[in-house]
């Protein structure tokens, strides 16, 4: 929210405090300031521009349209007499009073681009400045010639003084959801005054006032049909007003804080919203059919075209303001296109209301609308401020648009809301804060916060909290209020360090291993990415078990991700569109799905899994003179995947690999399971229907996803043992095995290790031969080497032969292997 420094001063005395100092104070009391920016009514503030007198004006000797002038800028600026300026304006003449931009002045184009005035020569004549038009100064739109001013202005007068340039500072405040009281200039001023007053600054707070509204008659009927969704509804009819351009002060005030001026009536409503925080809405009285205003819930399927030109189909949970036949606006969110104020409007119905925050929030999210009104209504407004807001709104509208009140004041308030009652003790305050705040200091802070002390007994305060502090309902809330005004910086500095040492937990080990794996992947050329857990519903259309949000911010963020894949594909698409190649990415993150009744999960009905995702696509080494261009291959991803699993302490003997079938993510791939456990990895070539059609990626994408916690369970169970280097030599023996074509080396290794656990140290494949001309049909040949070693003695030929025979017999029996 943008706050004007000068607007704040309208309500609170700030003394010598600078805008930057005000920003620091606001941040310290919970209204975090993001920026402090100087603004001026004329861009650049006309610094360097002065009023001069044209003493002489003659035609340029080398031009048919230029003139050489001598201009007096006053004795202070030109003590040596008038300066020479070459001017091309057709209306330049001796004796004129003109604005002059001196050398070094920065002016701005109509597009806001700066340009600096420099001393130079124009066709051989020296020019020491520029005589300006209204358009060049930014004080008007006339660019046909120079601006000629009244002759009674003394030479040397600063243009900023003559044109009345005003400067202000815009303070950007980040409003948290609980601080609806700070969503206006008066609200910020009130909080600022509380801090300044307690800390001894000379300050005062001026409350907004307006005369009572008097009128009679009931030209329309107002009914509140849904009191559960509207706490209070008030309004008044104003007739005979003129809709036109707003006065300059009103336009300037709104434009300074980033609000576009529309017309005087709408601008007045917006001014009140930013002034005291109460949204208003104005209806063209002539467009209210049946002479009736109904505050009701929409009928299912009812249609309304809002001010943004979008026709919306409403639900029966949307609150609307309607006439006798149709909805006029989506209450608290956005007005209707066909009921608003236009240049032909002469009579209006002014609405001032307080709606239930939940109804407004859900409607705003449902239709993707975030308006200034909904921003405030969603946080909960005080219905007790409605009469004062209505008085101010009426006074301002009549001031800028004329007209007069033509009805009684409608005010429907079914269940008046009282101020919150809270009890808190001095002991509680100091015990929780760890401070020694005195009783008088507590009472003073409560007083400046407009929290009334109803009674005090044995150190316990009975308090009445104003309704505009929607978030202060408990003793802990009051303590927080006291502390933020007392000052977080007043908390004494601690010199002692209190800590507790604990053994490493599973989480600690997981984080440590993540760091190791991350460093390994970065060293291999990968980049880490981080994506939102909320994803587009279209990615999981028709997928069972998806978790959808009830009130999503948008359709693109409406479903909890079920895989890390799509986030990575979005990153790949983004980078490919910016000519990046050879992408290698990884991400750690949670995925979500609905769980079955049999699954035991921390949150019933839902399961969260922590995974590591790897992506590779594009060229392996693009545009490198030493290496020819080629695309990444899928087995390069598998190599990185195996390196990660090996670094985590897993080996091939613990895992089973099989081809993936019927998987929505991969067109071809593999699944890796732990022996005696579940699936820990799926990897493969991403289905082009996902990469190309959903993400516009033309390259093949290779993706792997590791179930991190499943791997961690195995890693944490493993005990690390240390053995001395063997004293006795190892022996290698080779087999040339004739096998069926479908048998894998992994099966050969597994059988060998099962039959000989003591002496067999390693098994390696060093040649594959599958020439159909020299081998039986459906056969292939593996050349395998076996490494044998006994840690206690040197192996004899007899033991070696016996061991190799045992291994061969097992391979023959289980795999049908034959020696070639």
């Amino acid at each position: 929210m943008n706050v004007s420094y000068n607007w704040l001063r309208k309500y609170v005395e700030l003394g010598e405090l600078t805008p930057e100092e005000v920003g620091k104070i606001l941040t310290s009391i919970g209204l975090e300031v993001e920026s402090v920016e100087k603004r001026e009514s004329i861009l650049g503030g006309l610094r360097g521009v002065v009023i001069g007198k044209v003493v002489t004006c003659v035609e340029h000797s080398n031009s048919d349209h230029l003139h050489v002038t001598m201009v007096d800028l006053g004795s202070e600026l030109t003590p040596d007499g008038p300066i020479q300026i070459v001017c091309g304006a057709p209306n330049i003449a001796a004796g004129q009073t003109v604005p002059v931009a001196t050398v070094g002045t920065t002016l701005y184009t109509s597009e806001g681009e700066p340009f600096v005035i420099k001393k130079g020569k124009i066709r051989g004549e020296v020019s020491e400045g520029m005589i300006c038009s209204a358009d060049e100064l930014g004080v008007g739109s006339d660019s046909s010639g120079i601006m000629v001013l009244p002759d009674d202005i003394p030479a040397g007068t600063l243009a900023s003084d003559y044109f009345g340039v005003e400067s202000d500072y815009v303070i950007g405040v980040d409003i948290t959801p609980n601080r609806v009281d700070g969503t206006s200039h008066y609200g910020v001023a009130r909080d600022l005054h509380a801090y300044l007053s307690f800390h001894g600054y000379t300050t005062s707070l001026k409350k907004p006032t307006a005369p009572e509204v008097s009128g009679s008659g009931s030209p329309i009927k107002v009914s509140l049909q849904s009191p559960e969704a509207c706490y209070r509804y008030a309004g008044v009819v104003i007739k005979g007003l003129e809709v036109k351009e707003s006065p300059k002060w009103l336009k300037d005030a709104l434009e300074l804080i980033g609000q576009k001026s529309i017309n005087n009536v709408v601008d007045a409503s917006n001014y009140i919203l930013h002034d005291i925080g109460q949204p208003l809405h104005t209806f063209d009285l002539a467009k209210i059919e049946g002479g009736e205003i109904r505050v009701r819930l929409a009928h299912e399927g009812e249609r309304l075209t809002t001010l943004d030109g979008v026709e919306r189909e409403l639900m029966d949970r949307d609150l609307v303001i309607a006439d006798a036949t149709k909805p006029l606006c989506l209450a608290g969110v956005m007005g209707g296109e066909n009921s608003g104020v236009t240049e032909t409007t002469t009579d209006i119905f002014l609405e001032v209301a307080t709606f239930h925050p939940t109804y407004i929030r859900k409607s705003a999210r449902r239709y993707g609308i975030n308006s200034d009104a909904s921003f405030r209504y969603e946080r909960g407004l005080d219905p007790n401020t409605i009469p004062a807001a209505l008085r101010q709104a009426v006074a301002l509208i009549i001031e800028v648009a004329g007209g007069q009140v033509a009805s009684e004041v409608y005010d429907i308030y079914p269940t008046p809301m009282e101020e919150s009652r809270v009890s808190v003790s001095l002991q509680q305050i100091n015990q929780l804060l760890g401070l020694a705040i005195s009783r008088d200091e507590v009472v003073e802070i409560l007083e400046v916060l407009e929290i009334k002390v109803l009674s005090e007994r044995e150190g316990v305060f009975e308090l009445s909290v104003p309704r505009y502090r929607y978030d202060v309902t408990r003793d802990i809330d009051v303590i927080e209020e006291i502390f933020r005004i007392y000052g977080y910086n007043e908390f004494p500095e601690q010199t002692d360090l209190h800590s507790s040492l604990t053994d490493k937990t599973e989480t600690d080990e997981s984080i440590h291993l993540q760091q190791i794996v991350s460093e390994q992947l970065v060293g291999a050329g990968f980049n880490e990415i981080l994506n939102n857990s909320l994803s587009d519903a279209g990615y999981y259309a028709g997928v069972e078990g998806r978790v959808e949000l009830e009130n999503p911010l948008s359709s693109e963020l409406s479903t909890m991700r079920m895989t890390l894949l799509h986030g990575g594909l979005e990153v790949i698409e983004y980078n490919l569109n910016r000519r990046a190649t050879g992408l290698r990415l990884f991400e750690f993150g949670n995925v979500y799905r609905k769980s079955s009744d049999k699954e035991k999960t921390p949150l019933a009905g839902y399961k969260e899994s922590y995974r590591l995702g790897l992506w590779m696509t594009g060229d392996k080494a693009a545009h490198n003179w030493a290496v020819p261009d080629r695309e990444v291959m899928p087995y390069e991803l598998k190599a990185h995947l195996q390196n990660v699993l090996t670094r985590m302490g897993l080996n091939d003997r613990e895992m089973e690999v099989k081809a993936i079938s019927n998987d929505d993510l991969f067109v071809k791939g593999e699944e890796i399971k732990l022996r005696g456990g579940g699936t820990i990895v799926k990897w493969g070539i991403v289905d082009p229907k996902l990469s190309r059609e959903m993400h516009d990626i033309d390259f093949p994408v290779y993706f792997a996803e590791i179930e991190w916690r499943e791997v961690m369970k195995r890693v944490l169970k493993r005990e690390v043992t240390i053995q001395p280097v063997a004293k006795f030599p190892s022996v290698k023996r080779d087999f040339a095995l004739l096998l069926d074509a479908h048998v894998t080396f992994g099966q050969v290794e597994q059988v060998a290790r099962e039959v000989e656990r003591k002496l067999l140290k390693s098994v390696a494949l060093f040649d594959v031969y599958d020439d159909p001309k020299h081998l039986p049909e459906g056969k292939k040949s593996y050349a395998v080497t076996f490494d044998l070693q006994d840690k206690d003695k040197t192996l004899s030929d007899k033991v070696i032969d016996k061991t190799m025979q045992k291994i061969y017999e097992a391979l023959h029996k289980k795999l049908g292997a034959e020696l070639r």
Side-chain angles (χ1 to χ4, degrees), residues 764-784:
L765 176 67
F766 65 88
D767 188 37
V768 178
Y769 182 67
D770 57 359
D771 188 348
K773 296 180 180 179
H774 300 91
L775 294 176
E777 185 178 354
K779 295 290 185 178
K780 65 182 176 181
S781 175
Y782 277 171
V784 184

Side-chain angles (χ1 to χ4, degrees), residues 247-470:
K248 183 177 184 302
W249 73 266
L250 181 55
K251 289 173 61 177
D252 289 347
L254 292 176
E255 290 174 356
L256 181 75
I257 59 173
Q259 297 295 309
K260 182 181 178 181
S261 176
I262 299 174
N263 58 55
N264 52 351
V265 175
V266 175
D267 288 356
S269 299
N270 287 336
Y271 183 88
I272 294 298
L273 180 144
H274 290 279
D275 189 41
I276 61 174
Q278 175 62 54
L280 311 172
H281 194 69
T282 52
F283 299 93
D284 188 329
L285 190 65
K287 298 175 183 177
I288 301 175
E289 296 185 14
E292 186 174 356
I293 288 287
R294 299 175 182 175
V295 185
R296 61 171 174 82
L297 293 178
H299 305 308
E300 188 71 29
E302 204 168 21
R303 293 186 174 275
L304 170 68
T305 301
T306 48
L307 285 172
D308 55 4
V310 178
E311 185 181 48
R312 306 179 189 276
E313 184 175 334
L314 305 179
M315 302 178 66
D316 59 7
R317 289 167 290 181
D318 295 320
L319 183 67
V320 297
I321 311 302
D323 59 19
T325 62
K326 64 184 182 303
L328 301 174
C329 78
L330 192 56
V333 179
M334 184 173 281
E337 186 178 54
N338 300 319
S339 62
V341 172
T342 65
E343 293 180 355
T344 61
T345 300
T346 57
D347 306 327
I348 64 168
F349 175 72
L350 172 66
E351 167 196 282
V352 189
T354 307
F355 304 112
H356 194 294
T358 303
Y359 281 86
I360 304 306
R361 183 174 63 253
K362 289 186 175 181
S363 290
R365 296 296 177 271
R366 190 176 296 128
Y367 301 111
I369 301 173
N370 184 21
S371 62
D372 285 330
S374 67
F375 178 81
R376 290 158 176 79
Y377 279 127
E378 289 174 14
R379 286 160 169 75
L381 293 176
D382 179 11
N384 296 325
T385 62
I386 292 293
L390 187 142
R391 290 196 299 271
Q392 285 183 264
V394 170
L396 182 57
I397 289 174
I398 290 177
E399 176 188 343
V400 300
Q404 60 183 359
V405 175
S407 74
E408 62 178 338
V409 174
Y410 301 91
D411 190 358
I412 306 174
Y413 196 7
T415 309
M417 292 186 175
E418 298 182 355
E419 295 187 338
S420 301
R421 297 290 191 269
V422 182
S423 299
V424 65
S425 70
L426 185 61
Q427 181 182 1
Q428 272 181 291
I429 296 169
N430 286 320
Q431 184 176 3
L432 184 65
L433 298 181
L435 298 171
I437 305 178
S438 68
R439 178 259 177 202
D440 291 343
E441 288 176 316
V442 169
V443 171
E444 183 182 357
I445 292 173
L446 293 173
E447 182 179 340
V448 296
L449 287 172
E450 300 182 356
I451 299 176
K452 302 185 188 73
V453 179
L454 301 178
S455 64
E456 180 185 356
R457 183 177 180 183
E458 298 179 353
V460 178
F461 300 99
E462 294 294 333
L463 307 174
S464 177
V465 182
R467 285 297 307 176
Y468 66 76
R469 285 315 306 269
Y470 204 84

Side-chain angles (χ1 to χ4, degrees), residues 415-652:
T415 309
M417 292 186 175
E418 298 182 355
E419 295 187 338
S420 301
R421 297 290 191 269
V422 182
S423 299
V424 65
S425 70
L426 185 61
Q427 181 182 1
Q428 272 181 291
I429 296 169
N430 286 320
Q431 184 176 3
L432 184 65
L433 298 181
L435 298 171
I437 305 178
S438 68
R439 178 259 177 202
D440 291 343
E441 288 176 316
V442 169
V443 171
E444 183 182 357
I445 292 173
L446 293 173
E447 182 179 340
V448 296
L449 287 172
E450 300 182 356
I451 299 176
K452 302 185 188 73
V453 179
L454 301 178
S455 64
E456 180 185 356
R457 183 177 180 183
E458 298 179 353
V460 178
F461 300 99
E462 294 294 333
L463 307 174
S464 177
V465 182
R467 285 297 307 176
Y468 66 76
R469 285 315 306 269
Y470 204 84
D471 59 317
V472 181
T473 57
R474 305 167 299 166
D475 53 2
I476 190 66
D477 300 327
V478 173
I479 294 171
E480 181 185 1
E481 289 299 292
I482 292 171
F483 192 27
R484 72 182 184 86
I485 298 302
Y486 184 81
Y488 296 121
N489 294 331
E490 300 299 321
F491 196 85
E493 184 177 350
Q494 298 293 322
T495 58
D496 298 330
L497 176 64
H498 301 280
S499 63
S500 58
L501 302 177
T502 60
D503 293 333
K504 282 188 175 181
T505 64
E506 180 179 339
T507 301
D508 295 330
E509 291 290 348
S510 178
I511 293 173
H512 177 64
L513 196 53
Q514 282 182 52
Q515 184 65 32
I516 291 174
V517 170
S518 295
E519 291 175 356
Q520 175 180 322
L521 289 170
V522 170
F526 282 76
N527 289 296
E528 185 170 9
I529 60 175
L530 183 64
N531 287 295
N532 200 329
S533 293
L534 300 176
S535 61
D536 194 316
Y539 296 155
Y540 307 106
V543 179
E544 293 185 6
R546 63 185 182 277
V547 180
E548 298 175 329
L549 274 64
E550 289 187 359
N551 296 300
L553 296 173
S554 67
S555 60
E556 289 78 17
L557 299 171
S558 62
T559 305
M560 304 298 288
R561 63 184 177 188
M562 302 180 73
T563 172
L564 300 178
L565 172 64
H566 292 287
L569 292 179
E570 289 177 352
V571 173
I572 290 171
E573 179 184 7
Y574 181 88
N575 281 273
L576 289 178
N577 288 339
R578 285 153 183 80
R579 300 182 180 277
T581 58
L583 298 174
R584 301 182 181 192
L585 310 172
F586 75 96
E587 178 182 14
F588 288 95
N590 288 313
V591 298
Y592 311 84
R593 65 175 175 82
K594 292 179 180 178
S595 60
S596 63
D597 296 336
K598 296 180 180 179
E599 291 180 294
K600 293 182 179 180
T601 57
L603 182 61
Y606 299 93
K607 184 175 181 180
E608 176 184 275
S609 302
Y610 195 65
R611 296 180 182 176
L612 166 60
L614 306 176
W615 295 260
M616 291 184 71
T617 189
D619 296 331
K620 179 174 176 59
H623 310 301
N624 189 320
W625 67 272
V627 181
D629 291 353
R630 71 169 179 82
E631 290 187 359
V632 172
M633 299 176 65
Y635 285 98
E636 291 178 78
L637 175 62
K638 185 174 184 180
H640 290 296
L641 177 60
Q642 288 176 327
N643 289 339
V644 169
L645 296 176
T646 300
R647 190 66 184 84
M648 295 177 73
L650 299 180
N651 57 59
D652 294 340

Side-chain angles (χ1 to χ4, degrees), residues 122-135:
I122 301 177
R123 297 204 178 179
E125 295 288 347
V126 174
S127 184
E128 297 181 272
M130 184 175 82
I131 303 174
C132 304
S133 67
D135 178 64

